[in-house]
């Protein structure tokens, strides 16, 4: 399994596990992950799509 990669900036997580500060969303049936920085900066555009576990 590949390391988690931010859907916006391409930053990769240190391991295969998605860091707790990152957020996930399901869009068009695909699971996307956002690093903590991108999630904070783009929260309005991705709000409502994020997995509530990470809020």
């Amino acid at each position: 399994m590949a390391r988690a990669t931010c859907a916006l900036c391409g930053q990769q997580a240190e391991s295969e596990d998605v860091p707790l500060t990152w957020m996930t969303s399901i869009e068009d049936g695909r699971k996307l992950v956002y690093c903590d920085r991108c999630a904070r900066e783009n929260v309005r555009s991705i709000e409502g799509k994020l997995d509530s576990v990470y809020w």
Side-chain angles (χ1 to χ4, degrees):
M1 186 172 164
R3 289 188 292 175
T5 303
C6 177
L8 293 174
C9 73
Q11 176 183 328
Q12 285 196 325
E14 297 292 322
S15 68
E16 292 178 6
D17 296 324
V18 177
L20 290 177
T21 55
W22 287 32
M23 297 182 185
T24 62
S25 71
I26 304 295
E27 296 177 33
D28 299 326
R30 296 180 303 137
K31 181 177 179 180
L32 301 177
V33 293
Y34 300 95
C35 70
D36 47 355
R37 184 174 61 86
C38 285
R40 278 197 311 271
E41 291 176 359
N42 297 279
V43 69
R44 285 182 184 82
S45 63
I46 59 179
E47 198 169 21
K49 301 175 185 174
L50 294 170
D51 186 332
S52 59
V53 169
Y54 292 95
W55 279 98

